[in-house]
């Protein structure tokens, strides 16, 4: 409704943006940690550490693709939210954008759930292999 106080409108916008950003946080943190740990492992014995850290080969494309998807998801989500708040008519282009947003949203949720499952699996495997933690 248009007759809401400005504080309520601002709170609504903050809640909507938070709902868009929350699925990205864990995904981007895990991909960044994976990228850094793999690079530090692969570049330990190389003489040209700067060149090694700047290379993107093999398995390092996986975090890059996930990061690109995250930025694309954020961009599409913000456009969808902007069109909603500007009350643009719901035409064919907006319907296509909404479909694209839903596909991106569920893909982002799926990637985040897969990362949570993988981290949990490896924590449990670590406990099973060495329960004392030594």
């Amino acid at each position: 409704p248009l007759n809401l106080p400005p504080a309520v409108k601002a709170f609504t916008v903050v809640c909507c943006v938070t709902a868009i950003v929350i699925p990205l946080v864990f995904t981007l943190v895990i991909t960044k940690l994976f990228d850094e740990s793999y690079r530090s492992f692969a570049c330990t014995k190389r003489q040209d550490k700067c060149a090694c850290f700047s290379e993107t080969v093999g398995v390092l494309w996986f975090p890059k693709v996930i990061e690109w998807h995250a930025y694309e998801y954020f961009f599409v989500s913000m456009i969808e939210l902007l069109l909603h708040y500007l009350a643009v008519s719901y035409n064919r282009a907006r319907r296509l954008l909404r479909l694209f947003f839903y596909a991106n949203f569920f893909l982002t949720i799926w990637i985040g759930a897969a990362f949570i499952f993988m981290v949990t699996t490896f924590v449990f495997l670590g406990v099973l292999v060495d329960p004392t933690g030594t």
Side-chain angles (χ1 to χ4, degrees), residues 67-80:
E67 188 177 350
W68 292 337
H69 166 72
Y71 295 143
E72 178 260 334
Y73 161 74
F74 183 75
F75 181 70
V76 168
S77 301
M78 286 296 129
I79 289 176
E80 173 64 31

Side-chain angles (χ1 to χ4, degrees), residues 31-115:
T31 55
K32 187 71 172 167
L33 288 174
F34 175 78
D35 187 47
E36 289 175 357
S37 64
Y38 187 82
R39 285 181 195 277
S40 66
F41 171 75
C43 299
T44 53
K45 296 186 174 149
R46 287 190 48 180
Q47 296 296 327
D48 55 344
K49 290 201 184 293
C50 291
C52 180
F53 277 108
S54 66
E55 293 174 351
T56 302
V57 293
V59 75
L60 290 178
W61 280 106
F62 177 70
K64 286 283 186 203
V65 169
I66 298 295
E67 188 177 350
W68 292 337
H69 166 72
Y71 295 143
E72 178 260 334
Y73 161 74
F74 183 75
F75 181 70
V76 168
S77 301
M78 286 296 129
I79 289 176
E80 173 64 31
L81 193 61
L82 176 75
L83 292 177
H84 170 73
Y85 282 123
L86 290 176
V88 175
S89 65
Y90 195 71
N91 55 13
R92 184 175 296 175
R94 183 137 180 239
R95 196 173 313 142
L96 185 64
L97 181 68
R98 176 77 51 97
L99 181 68
F100 196 56
F101 164 72
Y102 284 146
N104 278 315
F105 181 73
F106 289 121
L107 181 63
T108 304
I109 294 294
W110 184 83
I111 289 170
F115 281 157

